[in-house]
Amino acid sequence: MVIAVCWLALLCACQPARAGVLTKAGLVKRFPAPLMVGDKQADLPVWPLFRQNATATELVGYVFESIDLAPIPGFAGVPINLLVAIDPKGSFLDVAVLSHHEPVFLDGLGEAPLFAFASQYKGLSLKQNLTIDSATKRLRAPDAGHAYLDGVSKATASVRIINQSVLSAALKVSRKKLGFAEGGDPDQIARIKPGLFEEKSVAQLQGAGLIGHVRLTNRDVERLFAGSPGAGLDPEALASPDAVFIDVYITLASVPTVGRNVLTGPSWSKLRDRLEGGDHALLVMSSGRYSILADDFIRGSVTDRLLLKQDKLPVDMRDLDMEVNLAAGSALPSASMTVLRVISQAGLDPARRFDFALPITRLKGIVYPERITRDIHFSLRVPAHFYVASQGNDKSWPGVWKSRRVDLLVLAAALVLLACMLLLQKRLVAEGRRFDWFRRAFLLFTIGFIGYYAQGQLSIVNFTGVLQALMARRSLEFLLFDPMTVVLLGFTALSLLVWGRGTFCGWLCPFGALQEATGKLGQWLKLPQLRASARIDARLKLIKYVALAAILASAWLAPQLTDKLVEFEPFKTAITLNFVRAWPYVAYASALLVASMFVYKFFCRYLCPFGAALALLGRVRILDWVPRRSECGAPCQSCRYRCDYQAITPAGAISYDECFQCMDCVVIYASDEKCAPLIMEKKRGRTISIAHFQGDK
């Protein structure tokens, strides 16, 4: 099997990667007049969209396929292909699903939730931090820096992959075509150290780069407009060329070393109370005839006289509408002061340069005056020891792992416990009743936590997804979007080396645990327990290998057929979708559970293709961990007749390919009340020899 997989992987490397399917003719139908679709560009697989505006042809945006720019595989191993259209400002004109093979949306939830999720991007912007189903959605309304996307229950990993595909593809186009810099993601930004304070003077703060300063005289401003229609339009500047036009200081007051040194204690406390976690506050102080705030400025709004960009992306700064007082002896101008707030969702990164622009506008004309604007540019940079560097990306898989760290800790603790118990099996089975309670509790955890809560049901889809990704020479990064699956796959791989397939099939498979529960229920209800003869049982067990071969072959030769064949497994219906599905699927999954009440774990033993794959891979097992005695099989057949899986041969050997590690035979082996050889030894130990006495004659 291992050799076959390697050979198949080599063949896969020769297969061409999947490409986009859109054509110009198809796009013309999607974007009819008055829009015009240009030719596909040579440097990037995008089509420009134009609109005729009077005599001019203006660029409306670009349309492209995500699979050409960010082919991130979904859970079937095939990338979800999305049509994405963005305008020159980085806003989404449209996002639509072109093709996908996501199991949860094929016959399960249906495609409607998938299409609805994709439609939410329209009108949103790359300049916003897009959050999927965030808890803060209930607390904040969307704004210029942040927007929310409703997630899809039961398809969390799939919609994260879609989001990553959309953003990755759109950012590539934006950086190449729209002049976006290699800007930082709002979820990959540094954080100000809230507890760091150093006592510094204003001069020291300036020397450290924490306070920016620009001073302009009227003469300086006049020079800006020299040679333009705006020259000579300011009489006051001409009359007093050396007078101060503006003398402005700006600093990031939310840095404790700045705020506590520059502001009075009460003002610092008031400012800190007005900020939420991750927010920034810029303190702007100025003097001169020109102010950052216009005469008609409305408090609480955004000023147009001071602009902030980071990595060429604009960042909104909103007036906090609060009065603050400067610390005594600061020598900073206080004629005009304002505190501008940048909310955390705007993604302002204190580790990167703050680029400010001070636009100065002059008007020429009376009825329809011409506006002539010149910008003064300056920057600010926070020293590195005042912030903590970025810890990860919440839109990609590292952020997914971070968001599920509690669930992963619970799962890891359970897996460590299980491994310890299995390694110390003598202690575990020493008391049969205690072992029974441990097994019941763990299987309940498997059904409730691993299955229904964490959605950690491993499936043959995990194999077909990897196979199809290898065939198309794509990364396996898509697996990392579901950390529970990755951890379970890793543990299962290790357990295959030690114990074989039984650890997963007998302890960690949610549907297998459901089957065991219904099987025990059938025994408790005293339903007839059907047990096939050894010959028929062996033949029935071959069915799962046939199913496995058919599914893997279809994944290689006919991927469209694979989506249908994997439904041979009832896992998606019973666990992923919790039986909320079309009635034929529900009837099939229910029938299998009912069947297990009469034939113990019917599906697991005879039909499960994933179990077949594990059985084959489990042949690399290094331990024959089930203890045996010389009497096992000859003459004792006790364990064999009690094994519900019929995994013990007449000779007493364990068929590890069919063993589910229920450990019933191990409990029997350790019990002097159940194991026939031990019972005989016990009886022999209690035999009292009869003494013959000869009485007196």
Side-chain angles (χ1 to χ4, degrees), residues 244-466:
V244 176
F245 181 78
I246 187 170
D247 188 12
V248 60
Y249 292 80
I250 185 166
T251 185
L252 192 62
S254 48
V255 176
T257 295
V258 175
R260 291 176 60 182
N261 282 305
V262 171
L263 301 174
T264 62
S267 291
W268 164 250
S269 298
K270 187 163 92 171
L271 173 61
R272 185 180 55 190
D273 292 342
R274 290 286 299 273
L275 300 178
E276 298 184 17
D279 288 355
H280 301 283
L282 291 156
L283 175 62
V284 185
M285 305 151 284
S286 66
S287 60
R289 54 184 288 246
Y290 188 77
S291 173
I292 294 299
L293 304 180
D295 294 337
D296 59 351
F297 179 75
I298 300 174
R299 284 289 183 178
S301 62
V302 177
T303 178
D304 59 358
R305 290 192 175 184
L306 181 67
L307 307 177
L308 170 60
K309 285 189 175 183
Q310 194 168 68
D311 301 311
K312 297 185 180 181
L313 298 177
V315 178
D316 278 350
M317 301 180 292
R318 191 172 296 274
D319 175 49
L320 259 181
D321 190 15
M322 65 176 291
E323 293 184 4
V324 294
N325 298 310
L326 298 177
S330 66
L332 292 168
S334 58
S336 174
M337 288 197 301
T338 184
V339 180
L340 303 176
R341 175 189 177 193
V342 179
I343 62 174
S344 62
Q345 293 90 344
L348 184 65
D349 190 346
R352 304 177 75 86
R353 191 178 67 212
F354 295 19
D355 294 318
F356 294 98
L358 188 66
I360 302 171
T361 301
R362 289 181 173 179
L363 304 178
K364 183 176 183 179
I366 298 175
V367 181
Y368 295 105
E370 179 184 359
R371 297 174 63 88
I372 304 100
T373 301
R374 295 292 182 267
D375 292 339
I376 301 295
H377 296 280
F378 60 101
S379 62
L380 184 70
R381 192 146 201 170
V382 179
H385 74 283
F386 287 106
Y387 58 78
V388 178
S390 167
Q391 297 299 310
N393 178 1
D394 285 346
K395 287 188 177 67
S396 190
W397 64 263
V400 179
W401 284 69
K402 183 178 178 182
S403 67
R404 299 203 68 178
R405 57 185 177 272
V406 175
D407 295 344
L408 290 170
L409 286 173
V410 173
L411 178 62
L415 295 179
V416 169
L417 174 63
L418 177 62
C420 290
M421 292 295 99
L422 296 179
L423 289 170
L424 302 174
Q425 65 176 3
K426 286 185 178 180
R427 295 185 182 181
L428 182 62
V429 302
E431 173 54 53
R433 191 174 184 83
R434 182 179 61 192
F435 169 77
D436 287 342
W437 279 109
F438 173 77
R439 180 163 173 79
R440 290 169 189 166
F442 200 93
L443 291 181
L444 185 62
F445 170 83
T446 296
I447 296 171
F449 180 82
I450 296 178
Y452 289 114
Y453 174 77
Q455 292 290 290
Q457 172 73 66
L458 299 188
S459 162
I460 193 62
V461 173
N462 299 123
F463 282 129
T464 58
V466 169

Side-chain angles (χ1 to χ4, degrees), residues 453-566:
Y453 174 77
Q455 292 290 290
Q457 172 73 66
L458 299 188
S459 162
I460 193 62
V461 173
N462 299 123
F463 282 129
T464 58
V466 169
L467 180 59
Q468 290 179 329
L470 291 175
M471 288 173 61
R473 293 181 293 172
R474 291 188 294 267
S475 166
L476 299 181
E477 186 182 19
F478 71 94
L479 290 171
L480 298 176
F481 281 85
D482 190 352
M484 305 300 286
T485 295
V486 172
V487 172
L488 282 169
L489 281 172
F491 182 85
T492 300
L494 291 174
S495 69
L496 287 172
L497 292 173
V498 181
W499 296 292
R501 73 172 280 197
T503 306
F504 175 79
C505 294
W507 293 87
L508 295 171
C509 177
F511 188 77
L514 271 181
Q515 283 245 307
E516 184 158 334
T518 55
K520 295 297 183 185
L521 177 62
Q523 294 174 1
W524 182 76
L525 293 174
K526 301 189 183 305
L527 297 177
Q529 299 299 297
L530 306 179
R531 189 180 178 101
S533 67
R535 183 163 169 257
I536 294 176
D537 176 72
R539 291 185 176 181
L540 288 176
K541 286 174 178 175
L542 293 176
I543 296 176
K544 60 180 177 285
Y545 296 101
V546 174
L548 173 65
I551 292 172
L552 293 182
S554 71
W556 186 15
L557 303 173
Q560 294 77 12
L561 180 60
T562 306
D563 297 335
K564 296 180 175 60
L565 291 182
V566 294

Side-chain angles (χ1 to χ4, degrees), residues 80-103:
I80 301 165
N81 193 18
L82 302 141
L83 176 145
V84 184
I86 57 174
D87 69 14
K89 294 182 179 179
S91 295
F92 290 101
L93 298 171
D94 193 16
V95 173
V97 178
L98 294 175
S99 65
H100 76 96
H101 293 267
E102 292 303 278

Side-chain angles (χ1 to χ4, degrees), residues 23-35:
T23 63
K24 183 176 179 179
L27 287 173
V28 169
K29 294 180 181 179
R30 287 178 175 268
F31 299 94
L35 296 179

